[in-house]
Amino acid sequence: MAKKNNLIKLGDAISQLFKQENLDVKISQFSVKNNWKDIAGEPIAVNTTDIFFNKKVIFVTLKSAALKHEVSFRKEELLANINKFCGYKLVEQIVIR
């Protein structure tokens, strides 16, 4: 009787685990936080005090009222930069605080 081969590639197993445990999203969120300067630009990054995610929404806390106003006009551009950086649609909305 022939044995069935239940072996899978290590890379496939890791990818499957990431998707199953939603780790791919968490790693992307972590990467966005760590690369915020490259994604948003230095003026925004320097004035950012906090970034956190809730599902497909990113919350960005800025310390400058003038910059909050400017960023509110550039939300679509920031969304595009974040999703382009990740290679998929990680966020659908930005909330500026």
Side-chain angles (χ1 to χ4, degrees):
M1 195 180 329
K3 267 186 156 180
K4 272 192 172 181
N5 190 355
N6 290 332
L7 298 177
I8 60 172
K9 293 179 184 176
L10 180 60
D12 293 341
I14 291 171
S15 293
Q16 186 178 26
L17 175 68
F18 274 30
K19 287 179 183 171
Q20 183 178 354
E21 297 298 324
N22 212 22
L23 293 175
D24 53 343
V25 172
K26 292 179 196 279
I27 289 172
S28 293
Q29 291 172 346
F30 180 78
S31 293
V32 167
K33 286 182 181 182
N34 282 344
N35 294 286
W36 186 242
K37 181 179 168 186
D38 297 330
I39 294 168
E42 181 138 4
I44 295 172
V46 168
N47 288 291
T48 301
T49 58
D50 190 30
I51 299 171
F52 71 93
F53 295 85
N54 185 4
K55 299 182 183 175
K56 290 198 168 259
V57 179
I58 183 172
F59 294 84
V60 179
T61 305
L62 299 171
K63 45 185 165 176
S64 165
L67 193 57
K68 286 179 191 177
H69 186 69
E70 180 187 333
V71 171
S72 69
F73 290 112
R74 296 181 51 203
K75 283 183 178 182
E76 293 301 319
E77 179 187 342
L78 274 175
L79 275 175
N81 288 349
I82 293 166
N83 292 329
K84 182 179 177 184
F85 176 81
C86 294
Y88 68 99
K89 194 168 187 173
L90 175 69
V91 291
E92 294 176 349
Q93 184 182 359
I94 296 179
V95 175
I96 306 298
R97 299 172 147 201

